[in-house]
Amino acid sequence: LKCSSSETGLTLSDSSTCDVKRPQFGTRILTDPRQVFQHNAWDNVEWTGEQEAAAKKKVLENSLPLPPEKQEEYDSRANEYWNGFYTIHENRFFKDRHWLFTEFPELAPQCSLNHESHPGASGAVESQQNSQDREQSGEHAALSHTDGDFPGSSATYRILEVGCGVGNTVFPILKTNNDPGLFVYCCDFSSTAVELVKSNPEYDPGRCYAFVHDLSDVEANYPIPDGTLDVIVLIFVLSALHPKKMQASISRLARLLKPGGVMLLRDYGRYDMAQLRFKKGRCLSENFYVRGDGTQVYFFTQDELHELFTQAKLEKVQNLVDRRLQVNRGKQLTMYRVWIQCNGENPPDLTVNYSHN
């Protein structure tokens, strides 16, 4: 695990993010190339210079952008394409992201960042203790947080997932974290996806509020006042926006955070396998592509995400590249994945630098 950005020179200010007791991205390291097909995946894989040069060459070969009118068509019909995606796949496409609580312990607020993580087991046990603590301190919230000025107004810990899809992040949070003060908001560009969330038997309006929202429409209102969220989650979501719309979207989201609230992001990194697989005729602009189903995807560098967070006045506390080697043992194939994970905080006091708190 690398705890600094080689491109930004950023050193993590929160030592807990480097806690060896919490194995971010996993701990299966390939030390002997002859053993590559012994497991389905290997973590923190270093690329050779030749491998990176080959990736750059592949991207360059397929970088001729589509005509402007075609680009505009894909952008203007984005909602239609995403609705079509969820109509076809419904809830069969994604698996529940139970790794969330290892990578983002903030989603289980009862877990100390320096506490050893035991995904699946610790959440329930520590949530019970957290519930008892709230009762003793008089902060026990009502079973339903839907009364009041806005949904979840009486909650003591609020999480928003942007780009929730069919709920593969939301439902694990609700199942694992039984903190009575928790309220989870989730939104998606696709009305089809939101309806699938609401129709899920595990959807509880007393603990969750799903709504349709276009992240790129910064003039559209959220059903939550500014300065009220503890956590905002974006998992492979920002990459679906046109690059020119990303900064305004992140800056608007950041306004929803409380002082001390955090924005958690995980998304596609530059030269990920998915980028290298695009054929000619799929490039919209530099590192921005359209898939066969019409949905769009961008591939980030650490520098780009660092700049997006900084311009949104978020203090960066994490900026990590996860280079993972996935293996198809049956076909003897290797597939290199590149993801970037960021964690930015809305400073408790804007006059104080977070790294010196």
Side-chain angles (χ1 to χ4, degrees):
L1 173 65
K2 294 183 179 178
C3 295
S4 65
S5 164
S6 60
E7 297 181 6
T8 64
L10 176 68
T11 300
L12 294 186
S13 56
D14 185 349
S15 61
S16 65
T17 59
C18 296
D19 192 339
V20 295
K21 293 183 179 181
R22 183 162 62 86
Q24 285 180 314
F25 306 138
T27 55
R28 183 170 289 161
I29 307 299
L30 179 63
T31 56
D32 183 356
R34 295 173 297 179
Q35 303 296 316
V36 66
F37 293 108
Q38 294 299 310
H39 298 287
N40 292 327
W42 301 92
D43 302 306
N44 300 313
V45 176
E46 294 293 335
W47 283 31
T48 65
E50 293 80 3
Q51 186 177 3
E52 186 157 350
K56 290 181 179 179
K57 181 181 178 182
K58 178 71 173 176
V59 168
L60 186 62
E61 289 174 352
N62 300 328
S63 61
L64 184 64
L66 290 170
E69 59 271 18
K70 290 296 293 183
Q71 297 183 40
E72 174 60 31
E73 177 186 343
Y74 284 119
D75 193 52
S76 62
R77 297 176 61 189
N79 181 266
E80 175 186 335
Y81 291 127
W82 279 110
N83 277 332
F85 173 87
Y86 287 112
T87 298
I88 294 171
H89 297 290
E90 294 185 343
N91 60 355
R92 298 183 296 272
F93 190 79
F94 298 106
K95 295 181 180 179
D96 285 353
R97 296 159 172 161
H98 294 291
W99 50 264
L100 284 167
F101 309 105
T102 299
E103 303 301 340
F104 296 129
E106 296 88 350
L107 299 179
Q110 68 284 346
C111 297
S112 167
L113 284 176
N114 288 315
H115 193 282
E116 184 172 359
S117 177
H118 299 280
S122 64
V125 174
E126 294 184 17
S127 290
Q128 292 175 2
Q129 181 62 50
N130 182 264
S131 175
Q132 294 171 3
D133 291 343
R134 288 187 183 277
E135 289 178 331
Q136 293 170 2
S137 63
E139 296 176 357
H140 195 296
L143 290 177
S144 175
H145 300 292
T146 54
D147 296 331
D149 297 333
F150 61 95
S153 59
S154 64
T156 55
Y157 199 86
R158 303 185 188 94
I159 297 172
L160 165 66
E161 187 195 8
V162 181
C164 63
V166 297
N168 302 92
T169 293
V170 169
F171 293 122
I173 292 173
L174 291 172
K175 285 187 288 187
T176 302
N177 188 340
N178 61 5
D179 177 357
L182 173 70
F183 196 89
V184 181
Y185 308 87
C186 57
C187 65
D188 201 279
F189 188 34
S190 167
S191 57
T192 302
V194 172
E195 285 307 312
L196 286 168
V197 169
K198 290 182 175 180
S199 64
N200 190 305
E202 296 179 2
Y203 180 73
D204 179 359
R207 302 183 68 215
C208 183
Y209 182 76
F211 58 100
V212 177
H213 190 87
D214 179 359
L215 172 61
S216 68
D217 184 357
V218 295
E219 300 300 323
N221 291 324
Y222 285 89
I224 316 145
D226 289 355
T228 57
L229 292 177
D230 294 275
V231 181
I232 297 174
V233 189
L234 300 102
I235 308 292
F236 299 105
V237 172
L238 190 62
S239 54
L241 268 60
H242 192 287
K244 292 182 178 179
K245 300 178 180 179
M246 290 177 182
Q247 185 62 71
S249 300
I250 289 293
S251 296
R252 175 65 189 96
L253 275 177
R255 286 163 43 195
L256 296 172
L257 289 171
K258 294 177 179 178
V262 292
M263 184 178 296
L264 311 176
L265 180 147
R266 186 170 171 86
D267 222 317
Y268 298 104
R270 190 69 47 84
Y271 309 133
D272 177 62
M273 175 190 73
Q275 182 178 16
L276 303 184
R277 282 185 169 181
F278 278 107
K279 306 298 183 183
K280 292 180 180 178
R282 288 292 169 187
C283 184
L284 296 170
S285 60
E286 192 173 359
N287 302 300
F288 188 47
Y289 304 83
V290 61
R291 301 183 181 96
D293 60 8
T295 60
Q296 302 169 89
V297 60
Y298 186 82
F299 296 87
F300 293 98
T301 65
Q302 287 176 282
D303 269 346
E304 290 169 340
L305 288 171
H306 175 79
E307 182 67 13
L308 287 171
F309 273 52
T310 300
Q311 290 299 317
K313 297 182 172 58
L314 296 173
E315 294 286 348
K316 193 70 65 66
V317 295
Q318 185 183 65
N319 188 325
L320 302 175
V321 175
D322 178 15
R323 298 182 185 271
R324 186 167 302 185
L325 174 58
Q326 294 182 337
V327 175
N328 185 321
R329 290 190 279 180
K331 296 182 179 180
Q332 297 284 287
L333 296 175
T334 56
M335 300 161 285
Y336 289 87
R337 305 310 308 263
V338 183
W339 298 308
I340 299 180
Q341 185 164 302
C342 287
N343 177 334
E345 183 190 47
N346 184 26
D349 183 345
L350 293 176
T351 64
V352 178
N353 189 301
Y354 174 80
S355 62
H356 294 96
N357 283 351

